[in-house]
């Protein structure tokens, strides 16, 4: 189908885009990669009056290493991150970027758009939650920096005011001895995962000094599995500790039954994914180069 | 073969497809590529309800939108047309099927009204403004529930039952009484899925007021069937309907049933004063409301076996769910019986077959149509019986297969299997996959708790239907036999032009037809132009023309071959006259001036231009006795069928039986429950192969389709008939990332029933569905689980293995051993 008629506005700077949002009001939506918005408009589930296109704003797509952090321009495409040697220094970022949907989506979809949409099934929020991540929000008067944990409020709801937009995403590089991994189960390439698990940990020998575990697609937002983390923190990672983490992750999950799977199945699955992600993260923390891909049906 | 016979220079060669250049460069010509002056765009208004009374339809707001030219509603259309032909006898025959719902809607997505506008966007906008008031009725989505007739879809029929018949052969009761063991299986279920062609349905229609003819440009895949339905429905002489198809981006059978939308487009064009109407189906429309494959439930199965595990009888009750309207049905109620015993030797069987309507999308013939459900059932029966009796799955099959020396083999219901060698296919497949190695690996993995299963699926792809089988479902049906038309000519400047009544969707007909003609005329296939794509005006179609049901290699190429032989005979006669020699002195070849005919005795020759010149533009030199030479030869091939015995339900229903033997090795992950295919082999036998890469391509495509159906693709409805898989995000069609590496092998048992030894192929019998079910079953027997459904994904495996909700062997299967 064709979308309903809308007014198209092309912003030449992020500042101008913000001004347009203020002026156009609630009926305006930002167009970044458009990989969710455009299909929704074509199905007429979303019918914005105005689209403010960010794609022609120069200098919004970059990956910079600065002061122990990686800075991503809001319109950096998933594919650019997938193919970036800089981003690959934090392997979990590559796991995420390389596994989002299919090539076509990765070539268009953006990291800023994904975070701002806050889809419960989105990949980036799950992964970035395991790292120290800040979202730069540009408003009419000022730019504020919001920690990711405060940025995503609920399903499809963020801390962004209507006339604010995501300008940059800043990810602090994890310390030495860190390893991370992101694994999702996807029924086919283009679809959202059934469940996903992101693990970022710091190893000291065979003891887990610290760990962050986030679960995707099993709640209204990405879920931080605190009990699962506690089961590993300060522990040697034994089969018993792994099982405890797996069970705690299952308990933390709050999935809905849908075509991707039943509640009980998703709960079982997310535990298994956490276990696998921990194993890969550990090996990476020990300096091993491990390629990991999503699991497909 | 005489020197004048066909030399097989081209048939059998891996000739690259002639279509490739056009299709791979994006230069194909598809229906949606056609734009016409004054064309309007149609958008359907569809029902959100599965079952509801239509209280009112108000199109006034839609018609007020600038750019909207007109609208159509069911109430407006009904008086102008006859309900579509029903193939069923009464009560199913009383069903009144209109292209737009008249007083009721019977499935979610059923078209209720249509809006015609100057642009697709305006049509979309206006369609949203059509106000339809519904009064919800009780929906019935389960076939067995539907048969209780608590909520009736079609009041005029008075029942949801479309058709019922008992297929009984031999002495089932005696065999059951004398059996060494009897295995009972309570319920098996074959799920609903469909096809996902790259190109959705497209129709352009023009009801031209100047000549009172209806012109169609579309991608219907069985146009000669569609025009028969449309002519009767629209009260228009069939010769006034012209249908043209061009390149088609896949059909897999489900584009056969686009005739209702074709009817709406014609009526819309009539109302719009003859302006052409274009309808391009969206993907969601395609998934919710084009056509699905048949869903089938197998109840109360009892299998008699002798002391060696040889099946002696099967008795069962099968319930087929055809969705809201029968349309091509109830042909599926007999088509499965083309493969009544599958690849097995049992002689006694009783299948009580019932078909019902439900509040779901109507079904249409979908790759493997009606036979795959039955073949899946038989393969499940074989594996379950083997397990109950402690016989290995491969050994069980060898004991029960029809033997190579028994071909041609007459089945209990009178079908004649032309040729085959199932034990040899099994041997080839086992060799390719490394069966013995996998058996060892499986045993070792089991010790470590890994669930690995090896599954065998043996299937049949019956091709070239005897339409006389329609009389088994309806004794009054006016169909029997099968035929196809072709034309082969030398055009005015001597070009060889072949036309055939098929409408290929990727099957390479241009190439294979050229190969056949090249051998007849002893010229290079590049010198032959093949016109494919249906066109009623080409006069090469019969009532069976189209591309469906695995038959082109037999029906299409037999027609092409016949036409080429006729042309060859005329060319020879004419050349003998011109070169002043005898016909047997003439040889065909290529000379300095292109393709030519030569007198061996004198060395004199005439090229194709010379021959065509005489007949077409220089005909005064032609003596009167040669005036019947036209060099424009039409040939209608007819299959050698008889009308089946309607009472006994006995007779040969298909001409050729290609076979497939697949083996899968599948592991079910203990933690994630995700089934992974570790190894896969597909061995194919379609008789004499005309073009190996085309055959291999069809095998890969059918394998992907089947793996998708087995593990990923299912049309799911909730309890009130909402379709839950209406987008690709939910339906998840298989893509390359989901495909295992497939090892391909083939054997050739030439068919004695076709001139070339070839058998129709392409559907592949949905072999992977049986094969993957078998592999999962092999992995799960030890867990006490029966694979009782054709669709198995991680979630359903979890529900069986952990939830113990489904597939529990104790509840579903019973073994009774008798003292002998």
């Amino acid at each position: 189908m064709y979308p309903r008629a809308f007014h198209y506005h092309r912003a030449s700077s992020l500042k101008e885009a913000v001004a347009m949002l203020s002026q156009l009001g609630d009926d305006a939506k930002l167009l970044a990669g458009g990989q969710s918005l455009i299909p929704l408009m074509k199905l007429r589930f979303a019918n914005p009056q105005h689209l403010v296109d960010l794609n022609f704003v120069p200098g919004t797509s970059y990956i910079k290493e600065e002061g122990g952090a990686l800075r991503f321009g809001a319109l950096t495409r998933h594919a650019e991150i997938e193919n970036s040697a800089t981003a690959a220094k934090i392997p979990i970022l590559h796991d995420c970027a390389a596994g989002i949907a299919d090539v076509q989506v990765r070539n268009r979809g953006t990291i800023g758009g994904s975070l701002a949409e806050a889809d419960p099934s989105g990949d980036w929020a799950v992964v970035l939650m395991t790292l120290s991540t800040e979202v730069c929000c540009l408003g009419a008067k000022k730019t504020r920096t919001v920690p990711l944990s405060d940025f995503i409020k609920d399903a499809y709801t963020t801390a962004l005011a209507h006339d604010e937009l995501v300008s940059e995403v800043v990810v602090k590089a994890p310390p030495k001895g860190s390893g991370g991994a992101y694994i999702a189960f996807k029924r086919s390439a283009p679809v959202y995962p059934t469940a996903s698990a992101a693990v970022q940990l710091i190893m000291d020998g065979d003891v887990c000094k610290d760990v962050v575990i986030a679960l995707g697609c099993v709640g209204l937002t990405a879920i931080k599995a605190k009990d699962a983390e506690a089961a590993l923190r300060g522990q040697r990672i034994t089969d018993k500790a792994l099982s405890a983490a797996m069970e705690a992750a299952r308990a933390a999950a709050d999935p809905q039954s849908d075509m991707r799977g039943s509640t009980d199945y998703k709960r079982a699955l997310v535990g298994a994914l956490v276990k696998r992600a921990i194993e890969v993260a550990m090996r990476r923390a020990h300096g091993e180069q491990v390629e990991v891909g999503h699991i497909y049906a | 073969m005489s020197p004048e016979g066909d030399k097989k220079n081209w048939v059998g060669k891996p000739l690259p497809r002639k279509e490739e250049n056009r299709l791979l460069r994006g230069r194909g010509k598809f229906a949606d590529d056609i734009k016409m002056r004054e064309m309007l765009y149609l958008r359907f208004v569809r029902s959100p309800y599965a079952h509801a009374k239509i209280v009112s339809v108000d199109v006034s707001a839609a018609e007020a939108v600038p750019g909207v030219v007109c609208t159509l509603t069911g109430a407006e259309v009904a008086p102008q047309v006859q309900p579509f032909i029903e193939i069923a006898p009464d009560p199913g025959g009383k069903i009144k099927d209109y292209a737009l719902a008249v007083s009721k809607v019977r499935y979610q997505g059923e078209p209720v009204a249509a809006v015609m506008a100057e642009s697709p966007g305006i049509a979309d906008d206006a369609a949203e403004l059509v106000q339809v008031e519904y009064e919800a009725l009780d929906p019935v989505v389960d076939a067995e529930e539907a048969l209780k007739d608590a909520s009736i879809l079609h009041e005029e029929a008075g029942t949801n039952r479309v058709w019922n018949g008992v297929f009984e052969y031999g002495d089932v009761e005696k065999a059951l009484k004398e059996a060494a063991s009897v295995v009972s299986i309570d319920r098996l279920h074959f799920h609903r899925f469909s096809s996902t062609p790259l190109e959705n349905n497209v129709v352009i229609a023009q009801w031209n007021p100047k000549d009172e003819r209806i012109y169609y440009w579309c991608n219907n895949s069985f146009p000669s069937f569609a025009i028969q339905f449309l002519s009767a429905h629209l009260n228009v002489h069939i010769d006034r309907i012209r249908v043209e198809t061009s390149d088609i981006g896949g059909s897999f059978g489900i584009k056969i049933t686009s005739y209702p939308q074709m009817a709406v487009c014609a009526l819309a064009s009539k109302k719009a004063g003859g302006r052409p109407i274009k309808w391009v189906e969206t993907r969601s429309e395609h998934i919710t409301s084009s056509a699905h494959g048949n869903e089938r439930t197998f109840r109360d199965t009892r299998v008699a076996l002798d002391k060696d595990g040889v099946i002696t009888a099967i008795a069962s009750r099968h319930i087929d769910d055809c969705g809201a309207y029968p349309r091509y049905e109830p042909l599926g109620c007999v088509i499965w019986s083309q493969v009544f015993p599958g690849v097995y030797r049992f002689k006694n069987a009783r299948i009580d077959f019932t078909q019902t309507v439900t509040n779901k999308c109507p079904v249409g013939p979908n790759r493997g149509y009606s036979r795959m459900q039955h073949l899946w059932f038989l393969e499940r029966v074989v594996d379950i019986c083997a397990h109950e009796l402690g016989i290995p799955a491969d050994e069980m099959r060898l004991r029960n297969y029809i033997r190579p020396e028994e071909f041609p083999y007459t089945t209990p219901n009178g079908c004649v299997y032309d040729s085959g060698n199932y034990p040899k296919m099994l041997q080839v497949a086992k060799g390719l996959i490394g069966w013995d190695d996998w058996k060892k690996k499986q045993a070792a993995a089991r010790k470590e708790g890994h669930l690995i299963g090896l599954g065998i699926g043996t299937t049949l792809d019956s091709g070239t239907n005897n339409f006389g089988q329609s009389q088994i479902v309806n004794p009054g049906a006016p169909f029997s036999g099968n035929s196809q038309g072709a034309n082969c000519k030398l055009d005015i400047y001597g070009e060889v032009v072949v036309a055939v009544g098929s409408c290929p969707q990727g099957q390479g007909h241009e190439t294979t037809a050229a190969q056949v003609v090249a051998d007849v005329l002893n010229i290079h296939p590049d010198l032959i132009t093949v016109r494919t794509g249906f066109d009623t005006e080409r006069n090469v179609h019969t009532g069976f023309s189209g591309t469906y049901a695995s038959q082109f290699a037999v029906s299409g190429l037999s027609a092409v071959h016949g036409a080429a032989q006729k042309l060859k005979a005329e060319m020879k006669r004419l050349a003998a006259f011109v070169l002043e020699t005898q016909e047997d002195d003439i040889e065909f070849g290529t000379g300095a001036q292109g393709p030519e005919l030569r007198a061996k005795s004198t060395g004199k020759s005439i090229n194709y231009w010379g021959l065509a010149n005489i007949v077409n533009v220089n005909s005064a030199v032609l003596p009167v006795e040669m005036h019947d030479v036209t060099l424009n030869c039409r040939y209608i091939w007819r299959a050698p069928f008889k009308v089946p015995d309607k009472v006994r339900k006995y007779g040969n229903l298909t001409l050729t039986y290609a076979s497939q033997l697949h083996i899968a090795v599948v592991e079910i992950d203990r933690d994630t429950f995700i089934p992974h295919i570790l190894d896969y082999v597909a061995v194919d036998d379609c008789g004499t192969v005309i073009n190996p890469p085309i055959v291999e391509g069809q095998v890969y495509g059918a394998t992907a389709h089947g793996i998708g159906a087995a593990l990923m693709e299912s049309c799911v409805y909730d309890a009130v008939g909402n379709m839950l898989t209406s987008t690709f995000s939910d339906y998840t069609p298989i893509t390359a990332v989901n495909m295992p590496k497939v090892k391909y092998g083939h054997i050739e048992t030439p068919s004695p029933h076709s001139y070339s030894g070839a058998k129709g192929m392409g559907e592949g019998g949905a072999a992977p569905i049986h094969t993957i079910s078998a592999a999962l079953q092999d992995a799960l027997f030890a867990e006490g689980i029966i694979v009782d459904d054709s669709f198995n994904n991680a979630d359903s495996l979890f529900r069986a293995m952990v939830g113990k909700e489904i597939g529990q062997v104790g509840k579903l299967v019973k073994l009774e051993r008798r003292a002998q």
Side-chain angles (χ1 to χ4, degrees):
Chain A
M1 288 228 305
Y2 289 77
R4 283 196 199 144
F6 57 87
H7 297 277
Y8 174 85
H9 308 267
R10 183 177 290 180
S12 56
S13 71
L14 293 181
K15 277 268 173 220
E16 190 192 13
V18 168
M20 285 172 169
L21 288 177
S22 311
Q23 196 192 336
L24 297 167
D26 282 350
D27 283 335
K29 287 262 180 255
L30 291 173
L31 177 65
Q35 295 306 291
S36 295
L37 182 59
I38 299 292
L40 286 172
M41 288 172 67
K42 288 178 74 178
L43 290 167
R44 299 196 170 202
F45 293 152
N47 300 293
Q49 296 273 308
H50 301 274
L51 277 193
V52 175
D53 189 354
L54 300 174
N55 284 281
F56 294 85
V57 177
T60 54
S61 174
Y62 54 81
I63 304 165
K64 288 184 216 161
E65 199 173 1
E66 245 176 51
L70 293 186
R71 308 181 80 90
F72 296 92
L75 266 77
T76 308
R77 317 278 163 180
H78 310 314
E80 293 176 75
I81 303 174
E82 176 186 4
N83 298 314
S84 155
T86 309
K89 290 178 181 172
I90 308 176
I92 197 171
L93 297 179
H94 181 267
D95 292 349
C96 179
I100 294 172
D102 51 26
V103 176
Q104 291 90 330
V105 170
R106 294 199 290 275
N107 281 341
R108 294 295 303 166
T110 67
I111 185 168
S114 171
L115 289 179
E117 195 203 4
D119 189 297
S121 301
D123 292 278
W124 277 119
V126 189
V127 165
L128 295 176
M129 191 182 263
T130 67
L131 297 160
S132 177
T133 305
E134 288 182 329
V135 184
C136 303
C137 306
L138 177 74
K141 300 199 178 85
K142 61 174 173 106
T143 302
R144 58 190 180 118
T145 302
V146 183
L148 180 67
S149 49
D150 295 335
F151 179 78
I152 292 177
K153 299 284 189 196
D154 205 340
Y156 306 106
T157 310
T158 66
L160 284 173
H162 171 70
D163 57 354
E164 273 184 317
L165 54 79
V166 174
S167 58
E168 192 176 51
V169 180
V170 185
V171 182
K172 216 167 135 188
K176 271 209 165 16
S178 290
Y182 177 59
I183 303 177
F185 169 49
K186 300 204 299 176
R187 293 172 304 150
S188 71
V191 308
Y192 281 123
T194 304
S196 65
V199 172
Q200 184 72 34
L201 45 67
I202 309 170
M203 296 300 290
D204 183 3
D206 58 357
V207 173
C208 171
K209 271 177 68 182
D210 199 6
V211 60
V212 186
I213 299 175
L215 316 176
C217 310
V218 288
L220 293 177
T221 63
I223 290 174
K224 210 156 165 295
K226 290 183 183 144
D227 290 345
E229 295 167 2
L232 299 178
R233 199 173 285 123
Q235 306 288 319
R236 287 182 54 225
I237 300 185
T238 56
D239 284 351
K240 204 177 144 197
L242 269 179
S243 293
M246 188 163 78
E247 287 313 316
R250 283 177 178 153
D254 182 20
Q256 301 282 316
S257 191
D258 61 17
M259 283 317 301
R260 285 180 262 175
S262 55
T263 303
D264 287 346
Y265 171 62
K266 286 184 183 175
R267 208 185 281 285
L269 172 68
V270 82
L273 296 174
V274 162
K275 186 179 160 199
R276 233 165 259 193
I278 294 168
E279 286 163 349
V280 176
M282 256 168 43
R283 290 166 62 195
R284 284 179 174 165
H286 288 128
E288 213 180 308
Q289 295 283 327
V290 188
E291 283 288 321
V292 60
H294 291 336
I295 306 166
Y296 295 94
Chain B
M1 211 174 268
S2 73
E4 288 300 339
D6 305 354
K7 299 181 196 84
K8 279 205 176 171
N9 290 325
W10 295 105
V11 166
K13 283 239 169 72
L15 188 71
R17 294 200 309 175
K18 287 165 83 80
E19 298 88 334
E20 225 82 272
N21 185 45
R22 180 174 84 250
L23 294 174
L24 294 183
R25 288 172 195 265
R27 292 175 188 162
K29 182 183 152 197
F30 296 89
D32 192 23
D33 293 329
I34 299 169
K35 289 198 171 63
M36 298 173 73
R37 202 167 66 89
E38 301 207 305
M39 185 145 83
L40 297 174
Y41 298 84
L42 181 148
R43 172 64 55 210
F44 285 109
V45 177
R46 294 177 180 276
S47 169
Y49 288 93
H51 197 190
K53 207 179 265 180
I54 298 172
V55 178
S56 63
V57 182
D58 180 357
V59 294
S60 55
E63 288 187 335
V65 173
V68 170
V69 172
C70 59
T71 62
L72 273 182
T73 65
E76 189 181 347
V77 164
Q80 301 179 43
V81 298
Q82 297 296 321
F84 284 113
I85 293 170
E86 291 298 331
I87 295 170
D90 290 348
K94 289 184 176 155
I95 288 171
K96 287 193 170 29
D97 184 5
Y98 294 95
L100 293 172
V102 179
S103 58
K104 273 180 84 174
V105 289
R106 298 179 175 90
Y107 68 98
Q108 188 179 58
E110 179 168 1
V112 174
V115 176
M116 278 59 70
E118 300 283 355
S119 81
I122 295 171
D124 286 348
D125 288 344
E128 288 189 321
L129 300 176
V130 173
Q131 298 290 321
V132 186
E133 194 186 327
Y134 296 98
E135 190 182 304
L137 297 168
D138 286 340
V140 53
V141 294
D142 177 80
E144 289 182 89
E145 278 302 311
L147 285 172
K148 292 176 186 164
D149 280 343
S151 179
I152 288 179
L153 271 74
H154 299 277
E155 286 77 7
E156 56 278 16
T159 170
N160 291 327
R161 199 183 69 239
V162 176
W163 194 82
N164 170 257
V166 178
F167 296 73
E168 183 161 8
Y169 310 94
D171 192 338
V172 176
E173 290 312 318
K174 184 164 173 266
L176 281 165
K177 207 154 79 185
E178 292 173 358
S181 47
V182 174
V183 173
S184 306
I185 308 166
D186 178 46
R187 181 183 184 271
L188 295 165
H189 175 253
F190 191 95
H191 76 297
R192 179 178 264 253
F193 69 97
S194 192
S195 299
T196 50
L198 286 175
E199 181 200 28
N200 293 327
N201 284 301
V202 178
V203 178
I204 300 165
Q206 184 182 28
W207 194 316
N208 194 325
K210 292 175 186 161
D211 58 7
E212 275 301 317
R213 292 191 70 188
I214 301 171
Y215 294 86
Y216 281 112
W217 299 266
C218 65
N219 56 13
N220 184 285
S221 54
F222 191 176
S224 63
F225 175 81
I227 56 176
Q228 293 174 62
F229 271 56
L230 287 164
S231 169
H233 179 69
L234 299 170
N235 300 311
V236 171
H237 194 301
I238 201 161
D239 179 57
R240 291 192 176 275
I241 302 175
R242 179 173 186 179
V243 179
E244 284 179 79
T245 68
S246 42
D247 286 320
I248 296 178
S251 163
F252 313 101
I254 55 170
K255 282 180 180 155
I256 290 174
T257 43
S258 66
Y259 62 84
Q261 293 90 336
M262 292 171 75
V264 178
C265 291
L267 292 163
S269 173
K270 188 181 192 185
K271 189 169 177 187
R275 293 179 70 173
I277 305 289
K278 180 188 262 192
W279 171 63
V280 180
E281 185 178 47
T282 68
R283 183 59 67 179
S284 288
E285 282 180 296
H286 188 79
I287 302 176
T288 53
S289 52
S290 63
H292 295 162
N294 299 52
E295 184 179 348
R296 199 170 294 169
T297 308
F298 309 90
R299 276 286 190 187
D300 308 331
T301 301
R302 283 186 303 152
V303 188
L305 301 111
D306 73 8
K307 61 179 178 15
D308 298 320
V310 173
I311 295 171
T312 54
I314 297 182
S316 191
R317 202 155 58 77
H318 298 178
I319 300 144
D320 190 88
D321 175 350
C322 73
Y325 297 90
R327 307 240 155 120
Y328 201 78
E329 299 299 330
L331 288 180
C333 294
V334 65
I335 281 175
W336 65 273
S337 71
Q338 294 169 4
V339 294
F340 186 85
V343 290
Y344 301 110
R345 302 178 75 219
F346 64 87
K347 304 278 186 204
N348 309 298
R350 181 176 62 239
I351 308 290
D352 181 328
F353 199 101
T354 305
Q355 186 173 64
T356 180
V357 285
T358 57
N359 291 114
K360 293 185 283 197
C361 177
V363 300
N366 184 35
R367 194 184 213 160
Y369 174 44
S370 192
R371 290 98 80 214
M372 64 179 163
Q373 291 83 350
H374 186 67
L375 293 163
W376 178 83
F377 161 76
L378 290 174
E379 287 295 79
R380 302 287 22 85
V381 164
V382 165
D383 276 328
I384 291 170
C385 290
H387 179 71
E388 290 295 315
L389 300 181
I391 301 167
D394 53 340
E395 179 57 33
M396 181 72 173
R397 284 177 170 78
L398 288 174
R399 290 185 200 178
N400 282 283
Y401 278 157
I402 295 161
R403 292 175 190 149
E405 64 274 16
E406 292 176 309
F407 291 95
Y409 178 83
T410 303
T411 66
N413 63 326
C415 289
V416 182
Y417 289 3
D418 47 347
S419 61
N421 191 335
Y422 313 136
K424 188 173 171 197
M425 290 177 90
L426 180 60
Q427 190 192 350
V428 171
K430 282 168 86 172
L432 279 170
I433 206 150
W435 178 269
D436 296 336
D437 275 357
W438 269 117
K439 275 290 189 193
K440 281 179 208 147
K441 284 187 215 164
Q442 179 189 32
R446 281 242 169 107
K447 283 188 187 143
E448 291 174 18
H450 296 292
L451 288 174
I452 291 181
L454 279 71
I456 300 165
T458 324
T459 42
L460 294 172
D461 189 352
S462 47
T464 308
N465 283 337
N466 177 358
F467 277 80
Q469 61 202 286
S470 61
Q471 299 188 29
I472 290 176
V473 292
N474 185 348
F479 310 113
S480 72
N482 196 331
S483 61
Q484 181 59 285
N487 195 84
C488 202
K489 67 176 175 181
L490 282 199
D491 221 328
I492 297 175
Y493 286 147
E495 306 93 334
V496 181
V497 181
V498 180
V500 59
S502 71
C503 38
Q505 314 115 28
Q507 294 92 339
H509 293 182
E510 285 173 54
T511 307
T512 50
Q515 286 175 274
V516 166
V517 176
D519 278 348
V520 173
L521 299 180
N522 193 25
I523 58 174
H524 194 284
D526 283 356
L527 296 168
I528 297 159
T529 300
V530 180
R531 297 271 170 240
T532 61
F534 195 87
D535 183 353
T536 34
E537 242 71 339
R538 267 193 213 128
N539 195 26
V540 287
H541 67 283
T542 72
F544 303 116
S545 291
T547 293
Y548 59 95
S550 300
Q551 62 178 359
F552 184 75
V554 175
S555 63
L557 293 184
S558 293
V560 167
H561 184 253
Q565 292 282 11
K566 272 177 90 170
L567 176 65
K568 181 182 184 179
E570 287 197 0
M571 289 166 74
K572 192 189 279 187
R573 195 170 142 214
L574 185 59
F577 162 73
V578 175
L579 301 174
E580 299 174 308
T581 185
Q582 301 302 311
E583 284 188 35
D584 59 10
D585 186 36
I586 297 291
E587 64 179 4
F588 285 69
T590 302
Q593 291 184 319
E596 64 175 20
L597 280 71
R598 254 187 316 267
K600 284 179 273 187
S601 55
T602 62
K604 283 198 285 182
S605 68
I606 182 165
N607 69 7
Y608 285 14
W609 175 81
L611 289 176
N613 173 267
I614 291 169
V615 169
N616 290 294
V617 290
N618 198 10
S619 55
V621 304
L622 205 61
V624 173
E625 63 270 25
M626 297 204 76
H627 277 191
D628 58 326
V629 171
T630 61
L631 301 181
N632 190 344
C633 301
R634 180 169 178 268
Y635 182 81
I636 302 294
W637 174 83
R638 285 182 188 83
F641 284 128
K642 292 193 172 68
V643 177
D645 181 328
K646 302 166 214 182
V647 179
R648 287 170 62 213
K649 300 186 174 67
Y650 188 93
N652 189 18
L653 306 182
T654 337
L655 201 60
T656 63
Y657 285 84
S659 50
Q660 293 79 32
L661 198 143
H662 290 199
I663 295 180
V665 182
V666 177
E667 175 166 12
I668 304 167
D669 187 301
R670 282 267 190 201
D671 292 329
T672 63
F673 304 91
I674 299 163
H676 292 289
I677 298 172
L678 304 179
D679 210 349
Y680 200 97
V681 163
V683 175
D684 198 78
D685 175 9
C686 58
T688 306
V689 171
I690 293 156
N691 186 315
I694 289 178
V695 164
E696 209 173 319
Q698 292 270 6
V699 170
Y700 290 130
T703 301
H705 198 170
I707 292 174
L711 298 171
M712 301 171 67
E713 302 180 27
S714 178
C715 298
V716 182
Y717 285 85
D718 71 8
V720 292
N722 292 308
M723 200 200 180
L724 303 178
T725 50
S726 63
T727 69
F728 272 177
S729 291
D730 292 311
Y731 186 75
T732 57
I734 191 164
T735 65
V737 298
N738 307 101
M739 269 298 279
K741 278 214 163 29
V742 173
K743 295 171 182 162
Y744 168 75
H746 85 284
I747 69 165
E748 282 190 20
T749 61
S751 173
H753 292 174
S754 68
Y755 88 89
S756 63
K759 302 180 185 188
M761 60 91 59
E763 293 182 82
I769 307 180
H770 330 311
T771 309
I772 288 169
S773 283
L776 292 169
Q777 182 63 86
D778 187 46
L780 291 173
F781 273 131
E783 308 279 306
I785 289 164
I786 291 298
V787 173
D788 60 351
D789 202 290
S790 54
F791 181 69
N792 296 279
N793 63 8
D795 186 60
S796 59
L797 293 169
F798 172 80
R799 286 191 292 127
M801 293 168 67
V802 178
K804 309 279 180 204
E805 297 163 44
I806 49 175
Q808 304 304 301
V809 67
K811 287 186 195 159
L812 291 168
V813 178
K814 207 176 84 192
L815 168 68
E816 187 191 334
R817 276 188 197 273
R818 309 247 180 81
Q820 289 287 301

